[in-house]
Amino acid sequence: MSEVLRTVRLVLHPVSMRDHGALLTHWTGPLVRRHLFDDRVVTPVQVSEIIEASERDFATEGYGLWALRPAPSSPGGGAAAPGGPLAGVAGLSHHEGPLGHGVDVEILYSLEPDHWGRGLAAEASRAVLDYAFEVVGVHRITAEIDMANPASSEIALQLGMRRWREGPAGPDGAAYYAAERSRWIGSRRIVDVVP
């Protein structure tokens, strides 16, 4: 199940090897990798492995990573081309839970720095959560957020995620947030009926 997702300003395509060069450039940028990869530079081989893992996850779990690209601005303009400029990445991945508490489904997001501060990470993440909860039927989605990245914590709160667990203290400390399917679906229905 590979789904193309659309928001008002973005088109989200499942990542593929066509995206390799753009993902490598995005993920090796110092401002992006600082929080996403703990400032480690990912190699071309690692990018290939991430893409392959995402394709496997789509085939087996129904979710993975999506490449974010600007939506066409003309009405009826169709989907953004998968080869258009990459604005970022959002998606879901299996993740070892905090402090060895089992495997979670974790939401991930990153944007090119020139797209920061415009609400695009929250917009893309909301589409991913809608898809995960309403189409795939995931019960809980977590976010591991670097304590040095308050903007990412703010996105989790905007999405309605709640602080879930404390992570390890120290320079690599993290905060854990979670969104539950029952609460997400309930809150979406309430919003949908407001005139």
Side-chain angles (χ1 to χ4, degrees):
M1 175 185 331
S2 294
E3 294 288 331
V4 173
L5 307 178
R6 291 174 177 79
T7 70
V8 172
R9 299 179 290 169
L10 297 168
V11 177
L12 293 70
H13 290 271
V15 298
S16 71
M17 287 301 171
R18 281 190 300 227
D19 301 306
H20 190 280
L23 290 172
L24 180 63
T25 300
H26 175 64
W27 286 335
T28 56
L31 296 175
V32 172
R33 73 171 191 249
R34 178 177 57 194
H35 298 295
L36 192 60
F37 294 104
D38 296 325
D39 213 22
R40 286 177 279 136
V41 176
V42 295
T43 67
V45 170
Q46 290 170 313
V47 171
S48 294
E49 290 169 350
I50 293 168
I51 293 169
E52 289 166 0
S54 177
E55 290 173 337
R56 259 190 324 275
D57 284 348
F58 269 114
T60 61
E61 306 295 334
Y63 57 76
L65 299 176
W66 283 269
L68 314 178
R69 292 191 164 79
S73 55
S74 62
L86 183 75
V89 177
L92 302 169
S93 179
H94 293 260
H95 176 73
E96 183 63 33
L99 309 175
H101 291 286
V103 175
D104 291 321
V105 177
E106 180 183 24
I107 190 163
L108 307 163
Y109 42 84
S110 62
L111 287 178
E112 281 294 310
D114 61 334
H115 291 289
W116 290 0
R118 298 180 9 206
L120 294 174
E123 184 175 320
S125 296
R126 193 170 291 108
V128 169
L129 290 173
D130 278 342
Y131 174 82
F133 288 137
E134 295 176 12
V135 176
V136 180
V138 174
H139 293 286
R140 179 179 64 214
I141 296 172
T142 63
E144 177 184 355
I145 298 178
D146 185 335
M147 296 295 283
N149 189 357
S152 197
S153 294
E154 182 60 33
I155 291 167
L157 293 172
Q158 286 175 21
L159 294 169
M161 298 182 92
R162 294 182 177 183
R163 192 76 174 255
W164 180 47
R165 295 185 191 267
E166 294 298 323
D172 294 329
Y176 296 90
Y177 292 78
E180 304 287 336
R181 182 177 190 268
S182 59
R183 186 170 181 271
W184 180 267
I185 300 257
S187 70
R188 302 299 284 182
R189 288 189 180 133
I190 291 168
V191 170
D192 290 344
V193 298
V194 173

